[in-house]
Amino acid sequence: MAEEKELRYDPAAIEPKWQDRWAADPALYAAEPTDCGKPKYYVIEMLPYPSGQLHMGHVRNYSIGDALARHMWMLGYNVLHPMGWDAFGLPAENAALKNNTPPREWTLGNIAQMKTQMQRLGLGYDWATEVTTCLPDYYRWNQWFFLRMYEKGLVYRKQSKVNWCPECATVLANEQVVDGCCWRHETTQVAQRDLEQWFFRITEYADELLDGLDKLEGWPEKVRTMQRNWIGRSEGTEVDFFLAEEADQGLGTRDEGLEKQGPRDQGTEGPEKQGLGTRDEGLGRQRIRVFTTRVDTIFGATSVQLAPQHELVAKFTAVDSALKAQVDELLEQQKKAREAGDLGAIEKHGVPTGRFAVNPYNGARVPIWVANYILADYGTGAIMSVPGHDERDFEFATKYGLPIVQVIKPADPAVDETLPFCSEEGVLVNSGEYDGMSCADAEKNLQEIAAARGFGEAKVTFRLKDWGISRQRYWGTPIPMIHCLSCGLVQVPDDQLPVVLPEKIEITQQGGSPLSRVPEFVNVNCPKCGKAARRETDTMDTFIDSSWYFYRYTDAKNSTAPFEPAKAQYWFPIDQYIGGVEHAILHLIYSRYWTKVMRDLGLIRNDEPARRLFTQGMVIKDGAKMSKSKGNVVSPDDMVGRYGADATRMYALFAAPPDRDLDWQEDGVAGVSRFLGRVWRLVTKHAAASRSGALQDGSGALSSTGQKLLRKLHQTIAKITLDFEGRWHFNTCVAAIMELVNELQGADAQLTSGEVPATVVRELLRNLVLMLAPFAPFLSAELWAELGESGAVLRAPWPKSDPELAKEDEVEIPVQINGKLVSVVRVPAGSDARNIETAALADEKVQARVAGKTVAKVIVVPGRAVNLVVK
Ligand SMILES: [Zn+2]
Ligand SMILES: [Zn+2]
């Protein structure tokens, strides 16, 4: 009985012991100085929001990153593997309302809990670089960056329609509106409000953000595609139509507008007389700027269409209540489609305004319509409708009986020119002096004319909007600006940073910023004139916190700068960034933007934050994402308590390829735990032999068992090493270790008897433990010591596979006679055709079939098969 007890694997004894030792040795997981001479490796898992409890998605994310970090340490790299807390945000305020706990206290308490969980899991973080975004030593640099960006013109303030979540009682970025609802409150419809807001000019970097994606070859293609679509670049032209004079308006009938369709006066009398669209006549007239990707078709425009929210529409409806009622209907339809999440599929409706617009190129008058499918926030919120050459416009014109005019015909006469003809492989017709010109040439010419006469320009538009960063919340970074009645907007001077969040505050659900109700915070003297002034009371979007946190890791204690440029230059770009694909748009675009801004501020040299990005799959249970409401949450603490941290982590890597969803099965964790028990017994049992092997020389002949075990060992090393280099099939890595352990257990007698020499036992066990180290750090530390090794397993070099030893020395070759399989022969790997033929003919079964007959032909495919033709 005593022996049985001794042979029980007990993670509850092993793991806390090593956890204590590691805690007492912070240098173990610490990055070395930048002049240490080793190559650097910077690996990060995305920092969590401190909700108070790790979930299995975290465990999986961190197990992947930690395995990689440990592997790189063992390869001799200087590894930076930090962790931090994305600690501002709404849940802290909600918790404050619910439990009457101040947000700071609640947040820091959660952080302490989660840090304990991480340490219990044995995650190898450099805690000296820990970043907590809600602390003034971090967020003061958000403020500092804000001011630098303000000075560079990258920050501005404007009155704008904002997305307002009534539940959050705050503004949401466009990115935080999902199918018309709040991203946090999936059933709460987002309303529109007018507010003075702060914006970051991210659109200034739109082109670079787009082009940079081509170079990010280490990022998943799906993430790059999502970003491309989000940025949504289209090249085209902005053109001003002119609002026809009030006096003209009554005269304009639909027909009259169209009679004038087509070029007038072109070229013959000089530009100054060219229709209504000349600069002189255009000046002072109300303009309607449209965006089009096909200005070459402008002579075919038969209406101008406005988004229901367009400012001109408001002017029209102000004096026309019937029109207002119709426009309200359009707005309602648009809202419904937005809520249904499919604006693209909206059933198109429009109403004529009775007003006319003038085509600046030929003076043609066309009716102005309001349509429900024109979006206020795309392009200029106004389009020219060219039904002859656009599917959507064709559909609309057909429905409402608007004229359809052909102005492009196919360049190739063999091509069908039925309207709508939407190809750009065409030449202009019915376009006056441009007739016969190719679409491409016409576009260029028309753009030049628009620019020269001041009614338009070539324009690239983006779906990407400037980043609205104002939040009317308490638990975020205060915006470091002051409103002075005399001086206007005044920056908080750098030496007055940080603007610290007041601690004593009553969180309520009433609208507006909670900070505006704290007089000690709001009332301030203007830094310029000294008169009484007011602090800005909006706080910053928390996505700012996570836009640059990984730079702070490189110099987390710096109190005079966000970080020392030399340190960031050493560590950046990040070699491997690991996190969920749900961050493909927001965090990963904002942090790319921030990197480019910091580069332009001269702080860093890299253009992109991360060289490689990996997005792990979700952890699900019973086919659904784990969630409290579904009652299918598996607690990491529970798993660790029952099976140990090693088994929990290793299962998270073993149960599915890291990029796929993982369906959590407790049986599987138990299975991994049993496997680790077998490893523990195997190594413990033969540790003495292994230790004695260290004292012997390894010369002498090796038994076939020894050879076979070494072959399996070196094959396993080769496989795992290859996977770490980029395939990341950690599930099959763990499986390969299991196979190796099976073989070792199968050879227990030979290991025990000494048939396998102690030097070989040592090589087998040592390397087994080394390969386990990235996946099961506690057990491998324990067994490393058991094998008599001093020093941390993390500092031992990663094993190298010997290709000679890994080579299979025998292969099986099927033998066929007249196309039928009769036997299988074993030959040395790499045997030539003659040897394989000899072996086949020597086989008993083959000889029995061939007896008394003639072998007419032998066909050998070396390494594959032998075919005998027998008569
Ligand atoms: Zn909300
Ligand atoms: Zn002032």
Side-chain angles (χ1 to χ4, degrees), residues 165 167-168 172 182 184-185:
C165 172
E167 198 77 27
C168 299
L172 303 176
C182 171
R184 283 211 187 83
H185 303 101

Side-chain angles (χ1 to χ4, degrees), residues 90 164-170 172 181-186 188 190:
L90 197 59
W164 180 268
C165 172
E167 198 77 27
C168 299
T170 193
L172 303 176
C181 293
C182 171
W183 66 315
R184 283 211 187 83
H185 303 101
E186 291 173 18
T188 304
V190 170

Side-chain angles (χ1 to χ4, degrees), residues 496-568:
Q496 289 174 26
L497 297 182
V499 176
V500 178
L501 268 182
E503 296 262 332
K504 287 219 172 80
I505 182 158
E506 198 198 338
I507 308 279
T508 67
Q509 235 152 3
Q510 60 195 113
S513 172
L515 289 177
S516 65
R517 296 188 290 270
V518 184
E520 312 86 272
F521 178 83
V522 174
N523 299 323
V524 65
N525 290 331
C526 170
K528 260 193 191 161
C529 69
K531 290 183 203 152
R534 284 176 60 86
R535 276 195 197 284
E536 172 63 55
T537 56
D538 283 355
T539 53
M540 297 184 195
D541 181 5
T542 59
F543 275 106
I544 290 173
D545 306 327
S546 53
S547 288
W548 70 280
Y549 75 103
F550 32 53
Y551 291 90
R552 182 70 176 172
Y553 283 144
T554 67
D555 196 12
K557 301 282 186 287
N558 198 323
S559 60
T560 57
F563 51 84
E564 189 186 309
K567 288 185 179 162

Side-chain angles (χ1 to χ4, degrees), residues 484-488 490 526-533:
C484 171
L485 281 176
S486 313
C487 314
V490 181
C526 170
K528 260 193 191 161
C529 69
K531 290 183 203 152

Side-chain angles (χ1 to χ4, degrees), residues 50 126 298 302 424 462 498 511 527 555 577 632 775 836 864:
D126 183 355
I298 197 165
T302 61
E424 288 175 52
F462 292 90
D555 196 12
Y577 197 26
N632 62 349
F775 307 110
I836 294 171
R864 301 285 298 280

Side-chain angles (χ1 to χ4, degrees), residues 629-797:
S629 60
K630 293 202 183 76
N632 62 349
V633 174
V634 177
S635 141
D637 286 350
D638 190 28
M639 288 294 117
V640 170
R642 263 188 251 180
Y643 305 105
D646 278 340
T648 304
R649 294 173 52 150
M650 199 155 163
Y651 172 74
L653 295 175
F654 173 58
D659 56 340
R660 304 275 182 78
D661 287 352
L662 184 168
D663 197 352
W664 194 270
Q665 306 276 349
E666 189 167 339
D667 285 357
V669 193
V672 171
S673 174
R674 283 195 300 275
F675 164 71
L676 291 175
R678 283 161 56 204
V679 174
W680 183 82
R681 282 189 293 277
L682 175 81
V683 176
T684 312
K685 183 172 179 189
H686 301 290
S690 169
R691 285 195 298 267
S692 71
L695 308 172
Q696 298 167 15
D697 74 22
S699 58
L702 197 53
S703 68
S704 68
T705 306
Q707 271 175 354
K708 201 167 137 254
L709 293 175
L710 281 178
R711 182 164 63 240
K712 187 70 187 174
L713 172 71
H714 284 272
Q715 286 172 348
T716 309
I717 297 172
K719 169 170 176 38
I720 297 179
T721 307
L722 185 67
D723 266 302
F724 268 114
E725 279 165 10
R727 296 196 317 187
W728 286 22
H729 296 169
F730 295 137
N731 53 323
T732 62
C733 290
V734 174
I737 296 175
M738 289 174 171
E739 281 178 36
L740 173 64
V741 170
N742 287 344
E743 286 212 11
L744 289 167
Q745 282 191 312
D748 188 67
Q750 290 90 332
L751 293 171
T752 310
S753 68
E755 188 195 319
V756 175
T759 51
V760 175
V761 174
R762 178 170 185 267
E763 183 174 351
L764 291 165
L765 297 189
R766 253 183 126 258
N767 286 316
L768 169 64
V769 171
L770 290 172
M771 281 189 286
L772 265 185
F775 307 110
F778 290 108
L779 180 60
S780 55
E782 175 79 6
L783 295 177
W784 192 242
E786 186 70 21
L787 290 175
E789 302 284 349
S790 58
V793 65
L794 203 60
R795 297 281 177 261

